[in-house]
Amino acid sequence: AVKEEIEELAKICHNEGAILKVILENCLLTKEEIVKACEISDEAGADFVKTSTGFSTSGADSSDVALMKKSVSDRVKVKASGGIRDYKKSLEMIENGADRLGVSAGVKIYKESKSL
């Protein structure tokens, strides 16, 4: 049922020239559930899988980002979001496979990157 819903959403998005991002709430899932959700999202045509909304018990975790990256094809991108508040954490997410970051501290992160 989840795969069918993502497939329908992907068709709608892609017909309109938009991308589809499937947001997982990794802190509430087991590692096996994260893998399965990523595989389903990939098979169903999603363009991105995202670590979290940032509103639950925790945000992005670099080991989850690496797991997500390994669980999708090269076509699907990974977005890390939630709790990324400094340059070190941003770099950690990218090094573990994040293609995009969701941050609220973008200016701070940028300034930190320039001071190194």
Side-chain angles (χ1 to χ4, degrees), residues 21-28 34 48-66 68 77-86 89-94 96-106 109:
K21 176 177 51 182
V22 175
I23 306 172
L24 311 179
E25 203 65 78
N26 286 352
C27 63
L28 303 177
I34 292 169
F48 277 88
V49 287
K50 181 178 168 184
T51 58
S52 69
T53 61
F55 295 108
S56 192
T57 56
S58 69
D61 175 89
S62 60
S63 65
D64 284 349
V65 169
M68 293 169 77
K77 306 296 183 202
V78 175
K79 181 176 180 180
S81 185
I84 305 169
R85 294 186 182 91
D86 58 45
K89 181 93 171 186
S90 299
L91 193 57
E92 182 182 313
M93 295 298 161
I94 293 166
N96 279 279
D99 298 287
R100 186 177 285 182
L101 302 177
V103 301
S104 58
I109 293 168

Side-chain angles (χ1 to χ4, degrees), residues 2-112:
V2 171
K3 183 179 177 187
E4 289 175 8
E5 185 170 343
I6 294 170
E7 285 173 336
E8 287 300 313
L9 291 168
K11 285 179 196 171
I12 293 167
C13 289
H14 298 155
N15 285 339
E16 296 293 322
I19 62 168
L20 176 62
K21 176 177 51 182
V22 175
I23 306 172
L24 311 179
E25 203 65 78
N26 286 352
C27 63
L28 303 177
L29 302 174
T30 66
K31 300 302 181 196
E32 293 80 17
E33 290 169 332
I34 292 169
V35 169
K36 188 66 175 172
C38 287
E39 291 172 347
I40 289 170
S41 297
D42 188 354
E43 292 169 11
D47 301 293
F48 277 88
V49 287
K50 181 178 168 184
T51 58
S52 69
T53 61
F55 295 108
S56 192
T57 56
S58 69
D61 175 89
S62 60
S63 65
D64 284 349
V65 169
L67 180 62
M68 293 169 77
K69 191 67 171 183
K70 290 177 189 171
S71 301
V72 294
S73 67
D74 291 339
R75 183 190 61 76
V76 179
K77 306 296 183 202
V78 175
K79 181 176 180 180
S81 185
I84 305 169
R85 294 186 182 91
D86 58 45
Y87 179 71
K88 181 180 176 189
K89 181 93 171 186
S90 299
L91 193 57
E92 182 182 313
M93 295 298 161
I94 293 166
E95 288 171 347
N96 279 279
D99 298 287
R100 186 177 285 182
L101 302 177
V103 301
S104 58
V107 173
K108 176 182 180 269
I109 293 168
Y110 174 77
K111 287 180 180 178
E112 287 175 359

